Amino acid sequence: MIENYYLRLLSLGSQSTRFWEFTSRYLLIPILLTFFMSAPLQAQTNISGKPGLIYIPSARMTEDGAFQFGYHYNPIKYGFRYNRRNSEGIYFANLTILPRLEININLLRINNELKKGQKGIGDRQLDIKYLLLKETAKRPSVAVVLSAPFGIDNSLSTNAVMASKTLRLGGNLYAELTAGVGSPVYIKRDESEKSNYDIFENLEIVSKKKLGYRYLSGPFGGFNLRLDNKVGLMAEWDSQHFNTGLYATLFRRWTVQAAILNFDQVTFGTSYAVNMLTLPKRLRAHQNAERHTPTSLEKRTKLLNNFENLSIDTTSGKIAYEQRIYRNPYVGMFDIQTALPDSGVTELVPMFQGVPIGAYRMGKRISYRALAKDEREARGFLQKRYKLDFWLQPVFAANFGYREKTLQSNTSLLLQTQLYLWKGMALNAGLLLPITNDMDDRPKIVRPAPIFLNQFLSLGKHFVSASAGYFYNDQYGVNLQYRHHDLSGPWSFGIESGLTGLYYYTRKGIYYEKMDHLLLVADAAYRLPRPELTLKLSGGRYLAGDEGGRFDLIRQFTNVEVGLYVMKTNNGTTAGFNFAVPIPPGKIAQGKKVRLRTTDEFRWEYSYTRGFRIGERYRTGYQLDQKLRQYHINYLNRQRP
């Protein structure tokens, strides 16, 4: 009775809702900002993108999950790379990946290249800052910052210890004082980009006296006189020169700044600050409305239209459903509760490809239990209960660093769909629309997207994904993944094997090579309860036949996942980062039977070295560990109001 009532409600609601629902506000939301909404943040950054003054960094503590990105201009007389020959542009991103721990990535590019090949992609640098001591009423904060030693050219090398203290001068006026000392030496690699296969080889200690500009070499200090976090006056000694500047924060997150270096030349920059732990605006609005007024009938019917294979078991008090719009499963859990507030159910059973993941009890804290065999088998499968689902998915591959060709990229847009054949079995197919390709000589032709079958199984705490067909990264063949994962516990273990061969499309058809690429990788992962951090150690045989191991540090934020890794195989040693983000707007157009949306996530990985085939893999649509991490109760509970 209850189930029939709500299904009728959904049908009536869809008649009163326009099928084409793609408003202009979706088109105006930038990808990075739609899921990074936050409270006001202090976003003042120094020349390399770290919290600080003009050139010098500070020991200011940043919020967990704080993310800043932006640009700074450095004038010609104070250039780090080619001092007095070229001005520079510095692009940066700074993330507080853990409480007290910041990761800063910056790219220094020279302006007005005089000699072809001089510029290259620029100096890529990774810096790590750790807060040793938090500021108290009597004690300053103390932090250390270190530049990763594997950079070939680190003109902005930052190895320093600093302390900062904030004093309230009265009202909303504050003075932040910073003092520290920078190392007169740094570690560099005597290497070229063409033989850059081992990031820990050919390291040497070099004096900064050999550089055109000795950045942070010796004592430094300065102050920031600010009115709240809105405007500020800065002055500093950067170990070489005296600099002064001003900044202002607009719309609570956007900072613009300018300064005079040594009373001589002007530098300027801008940055934008957000927090990746903040709940999405829509979810916050729903939660606030839930506390005060019931959700309207029209809104409930709209929410129900997002779900597929919805069933309500009044006897056992469970709702089973599948949602394919949102990367974050908690959004689906919250929406189903909002849409069915009086259903009397006690447990939610989210599904993937028609297979139940487990049972979640939505109390003050979310609890999880694996379903028993009879509960799993009780979940029937009806193909007609699923929409004809289409989504747009960007694909991007790139090589960075060659001076002759600084960026080689292969960019495409996929129009994908999934046809569920039976419980757990999906046929993935679509169309590939090429945009750019200067990585190889393959033709830019419209062609089929990766086409493959995937069978997903959930057996309590045991999960299996088996695939066969044409995969991503130009590999065809078979792939099998197994994972033991208690979605309420810290440990998980997995193994993946595959046998594939190279394929790609020519203007005359498909080119094949033999299926002789054996992939065999095992891993063990441990999840820390706070914060949502996973440590993963894996190893085995990779796509190019090289053998070795890899260590990943993976942090889950509300809608975004960020990882750092280091890897060593027979082919070399490298490090890098990866991330997964949702692509807005999500739902573009939807009816009862058909839907067009953007993909639930875009995942990309950057490796410092390229061209040496170190630990290469291919994708089959999803990795089991990546998918299951989203359903862990620690991740879901962090989002509870």
Side-chain angles (χ1 to χ4, degrees), residues 570-590:
N570 306 132
N571 288 350
T573 306
T574 188
F577 64 89
N578 50 59
F579 59 83
V581 298
I583 300 294
K587 181 176 56 181
I588 296 175
Q590 178 172 243

Side-chain angles (χ1 to χ4, degrees), residues 19 160 243 356 371 414:
F19 175 80
N243 313 313
L371 293 173
L414 306 184

Side-chain angles (χ1 to χ4, degrees), residues 225-277:
L225 185 65
R226 59 182 172 86
L227 183 64
D228 279 339
N229 291 325
K230 297 178 180 178
V231 295
L233 168 67
M234 303 173 291
E236 67 175 23
W237 171 257
D238 67 4
S239 80
Q240 307 296 313
H241 301 108
F242 183 75
N243 313 313
T244 58
L246 298 168
Y247 72 91
T249 299
L250 311 173
F251 312 111
R252 302 189 300 172
R253 302 182 185 89
W254 177 31
T255 297
V256 292
Q257 60 194 78
I260 299 177
L261 304 177
N262 202 34
F263 302 102
D264 184 13
Q265 290 194 316
V266 173
T267 178
F268 56 87
T270 184
S271 60
Y272 197 92
V274 292
N275 193 294
M276 295 197 292
L277 286 173

Side-chain angles (χ1 to χ4, degrees), residues 76 122 124 131 153 248 254 268 438 459 467 498-499 525 547 555 587 599 624 628:
I76 187 170
R124 295 161 288 166
L131 188 71
D153 291 310
W254 177 31
F268 56 87
D438 51 19
L459 308 171
S467 302
L499 184 64
E547 298 174 349
R555 177 70 195 275
K587 181 176 56 181
T599 183
L624 265 182
L628 296 175

Side-chain angles (χ1 to χ4, degrees), residues 457-468:
L457 297 173
S458 172
L459 308 171
K461 299 177 183 179
H462 304 274
F463 299 88
V464 177
S465 173
S467 302

Side-chain angles (χ1 to χ4, degrees), residues 50-245:
K50 303 174 187 64
L53 299 179
I54 303 163
Y55 266 24
I56 72 174
S58 74
R60 184 177 79 227
M61 183 177 180
T62 53
E63 295 180 358
D64 186 18
F67 177 68
Q68 298 168 279
F69 58 95
Y71 168 85
H72 287 290
Y73 169 81
N74 197 38
I76 187 170
K77 285 183 63 175
Y78 302 93
F80 299 111
R81 186 79 173 94
Y82 294 103
N83 189 254
R84 298 180 181 272
R85 285 183 286 169
N86 295 91
S87 62
E88 298 159 338
I90 300 167
Y91 306 82
F92 65 86
N94 187 279
L95 171 65
T96 306
I97 194 168
L98 294 173
R100 297 185 178 226
L101 181 64
E102 294 176 34
I103 302 295
N104 181 275
I105 298 170
N106 59 69
L107 175 68
L108 184 150
R109 289 177 58 82
I110 64 172
N111 301 321
N112 305 315
E113 182 181 32
L114 299 178
K115 179 182 177 182
K116 185 178 180 181
Q118 176 191 36
K119 189 172 184 178
I121 188 65
D123 294 352
R124 295 161 288 166
Q125 184 170 309
L126 171 68
D127 299 328
I128 300 173
K129 174 186 168 185
Y130 187 75
L131 188 71
L132 299 172
L133 295 174
K134 293 182 180 181
E135 182 176 353
T136 65
K138 297 181 179 180
R139 183 186 69 200
S141 56
V142 179
V144 60
V145 58
L146 299 172
S147 293
F150 50 73
I152 295 176
D153 291 310
N154 280 354
S155 308
L156 264 172
S157 183
T158 307
N159 300 293
V161 178
M162 54 275 183
S164 296
K165 187 75 177 77
T166 302
L167 305 174
R168 185 169 184 175
L169 303 181
N172 295 326
L173 187 63
Y174 298 85
E176 182 184 283
L177 309 177
T178 294
V181 60
S183 171
V185 299
Y186 72 105
I187 299 176
K188 70 165 288 186
R189 292 177 59 215
D190 186 14
E191 200 49 277
S192 77
E193 76 275 4
K194 291 183 175 64
S195 56
N196 184 21
Y197 66 90
D198 192 333
I199 61 173
F200 298 117
E201 195 169 79
N202 298 325
L203 301 179
E204 60 177 334
I205 298 176
V206 179
S207 171
K208 287 187 177 180
K209 290 182 180 180
K210 296 183 178 181
L211 298 177
Y213 192 101
R214 289 172 283 171
Y215 178 60
L216 295 185
S217 178
F220 59 83
F223 68 86
N224 176 7
L225 185 65
R226 59 182 172 86
L227 183 64
D228 279 339
N229 291 325
K230 297 178 180 178
V231 295
L233 168 67
M234 303 173 291
E236 67 175 23
W237 171 257
D238 67 4
S239 80
Q240 307 296 313
H241 301 108
F242 183 75
N243 313 313
T244 58

Side-chain angles (χ1 to χ4, degrees), residues 13-23 298 302 305 587-592:
S14 65
Q15 294 174 15
S16 63
T17 305
R18 294 178 60 190
F19 175 80
W20 300 104
E21 186 180 338
F22 185 45
T23 63
E298 181 183 3
K302 280 187 177 181
N305 198 28
K587 181 176 56 181
I588 296 175
Q590 178 172 243
K592 286 183 63 179

